[in-house]
């Protein structure tokens, strides 16, 4: 189906969301991070190795945002619903495993990247964890 082709074309890395996060970090003058890291569980979008901080920026639809309650496609609803449930389960497992390995896990929702006030909050959160405080995910 056309939708299936569209969904299959969705990229796993260097998405516009990730590029927004990368430019936000660069704009803040923050150095010492790697992007799209495949050698750490969950393939974080950004990793600060020395501070043991990982950042994931999650699409609201794909990761089942609790705020957005993303509308699933009417076509093949059960397929997409199961896919999102599987993603949420994997995200929780990844968070638990990384936390056990003493990583600070920061998750940012797509909808927060759209809003100027929310982006300010994201910047504050990142600076706080980089200074060694407030790692609550």
């Amino acid at each position: 189906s056309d939708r299936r082709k569209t969904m299959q074309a969705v990229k796993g890395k260097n998405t516009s969301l990730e590029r927004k996060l990368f430019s936000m970090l660069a704009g803040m003058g923050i150095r010492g991070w790697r992007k799209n890291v495949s050698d750490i569980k969950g393939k974080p979008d950004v990793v600060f190795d020395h501070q043991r901080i990982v950042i994931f920026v999650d699409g609201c639809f794909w990761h089942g945002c609790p705020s957005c309650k993303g509308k699933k496609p009417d076509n093949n609803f059960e397929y997409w619903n199961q896919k999102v449930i599987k993603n949420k389960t994997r995200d929780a497992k990844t968070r638990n495993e990384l936390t056990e390995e003493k990583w600070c896990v920061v998750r940012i929702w797509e909808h927060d990247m759209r809003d100027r006030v929310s982006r300010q909050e994201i910047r504050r959160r990142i600076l706080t964890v980089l200074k060694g405080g407030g790692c609550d995910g």
Side-chain angles (χ1 to χ4, degrees), residues 80-95:
W80 295 113
N81 198 45
Q82 287 306 312
K83 185 155 188 54
V84 170
I85 289 168
K86 204 166 81 186
N87 289 346
K88 286 172 71 168
T89 303
R90 187 194 61 226
D91 291 345
K93 183 174 186 270
T94 298
R95 169 190 288 281

Side-chain angles (χ1 to χ4, degrees), residues 50-98:
H50 297 299
Q51 298 93 332
R52 291 192 71 77
I53 298 166
V54 294
I55 302 177
F56 295 92
V57 59
D58 290 339
C60 292
F61 171 82
W62 293 106
H63 295 268
C65 174
S67 306
C68 291
K69 308 263 190 282
K71 183 182 177 328
K72 309 280 183 304
D74 293 330
N75 250 359
N76 218 350
F77 172 84
E78 199 46 44
Y79 171 81
W80 295 113
N81 198 45
Q82 287 306 312
K83 185 155 188 54
V84 170
I85 289 168
K86 204 166 81 186
N87 289 346
K88 286 172 71 168
T89 303
R90 187 194 61 226
D91 291 345
K93 183 174 186 270
T94 298
R95 169 190 288 281
N96 292 340
E97 290 173 4
L98 287 169

Side-chain angles (χ1 to χ4, degrees), residues 2 25 31 56 62 64 67 98 109 111 115 119 131:
D2 287 343
L25 292 170
R31 306 255 181 277
F56 295 92
W62 293 106
S67 306
L98 287 169
W109 286 107
H111 69 263
D115 173 63
R119 283 195 306 271
K131 289 175 185 157

Side-chain angles (χ1 to χ4, degrees), residues 15-131:
T15 63
S16 62
L17 263 184
E18 292 172 3
R19 289 193 307 271
K20 277 183 193 161
L21 176 62
F22 303 153
S23 74
M24 178 188 284
L25 292 170
M28 292 166 71
I30 295 176
R31 306 255 181 277
W33 50 276
R34 297 187 291 146
K35 65 183 183 178
N36 299 125
V37 180
S38 58
D39 62 350
I40 292 177
K41 206 169 274 124
K43 298 185 177 137
D45 300 311
V46 170
V47 173
F48 292 90
D49 291 291
H50 297 299
Q51 298 93 332
R52 291 192 71 77
I53 298 166
V54 294
I55 302 177
F56 295 92
V57 59
D58 290 339
C60 292
F61 171 82
W62 293 106
H63 295 268
C65 174
S67 306
C68 291
K69 308 263 190 282
K71 183 182 177 328
K72 309 280 183 304
D74 293 330
N75 250 359
N76 218 350
F77 172 84
E78 199 46 44
Y79 171 81
W80 295 113
N81 198 45
Q82 287 306 312
K83 185 155 188 54
V84 170
I85 289 168
K86 204 166 81 186
N87 289 346
K88 286 172 71 168
T89 303
R90 187 194 61 226
D91 291 345
K93 183 174 186 270
T94 298
R95 169 190 288 281
N96 292 340
E97 290 173 4
L98 287 169
T99 302
E100 280 172 22
E101 294 169 13
K102 304 289 186 256
W103 285 94
C104 173
V105 180
V106 176
R107 284 205 177 267
I108 299 168
W109 286 107
E110 173 184 9
H111 69 263
D112 286 329
M113 293 295 280
R114 288 192 202 117
D115 173 63
R116 191 180 60 78
V117 175
S118 297
R119 283 195 306 271
Q120 279 302 108
E121 183 50 43
I122 291 166
R123 286 184 188 94
R124 270 195 297 277
R125 215 165 117 210
I126 290 170
L127 288 174
T128 300
V129 295
L130 283 172
K131 289 175 185 157

